[in-house]
Amino acid sequence: SSILADSATSIMVVDNEAVFDICAKRLGVEQPSFSNINRLLAQVASSLTAPMCFNNGSTESLTDLASCMTPYPRIDWLLPSY
């Protein structure tokens, strides 16, 4: 196993080509730059952690978030979708 998987609570896997395609085809950006891609990834990370900013009781930490999003304890890979 990898050191990253052993030491991280959760890992968000991102396919660079898929993110580029989302910017180009779905969001209508003709020539996506790193700035466009970084903004999209920041929006994904923000939407994943937004429930922790509000006192709703469902997720209070990243560990709670990972346990809600992964059906089995050894699945550490979060796959965001758009």
Side-chain angles (χ1 to χ4, degrees):
S1 68
S2 70
I3 294 171
L4 180 61
D6 290 339
S7 61
T9 302
S10 60
I11 302 163
M12 187 168 59
V13 179
V14 178
D15 180 6
N16 290 336
E17 188 172 341
V19 174
F20 187 85
D21 287 343
I22 289 169
C23 282
K25 294 177 182 174
R26 293 195 178 191
L27 299 178
V29 180
E30 291 183 22
Q31 293 290 330
S33 64
F34 285 114
S35 178
N36 299 121
I37 293 170
N38 286 339
R39 286 181 186 158
L40 180 59
L41 293 176
Q43 184 66 38
V44 169
S46 174
S47 65
L48 284 173
T49 58
M52 288 181 275
C53 297
F54 305 101
N55 192 10
N56 63 3
S58 63
T59 54
E60 296 177 0
S61 68
L62 285 175
T63 305
D64 292 341
L65 177 71
S67 65
C68 290
M69 293 185 67
T70 55
Y72 303 104
R74 284 300 304 154
I75 298 177
D76 295 323
W77 309 95
L78 304 177
L79 295 173
S81 61
Y82 180 79

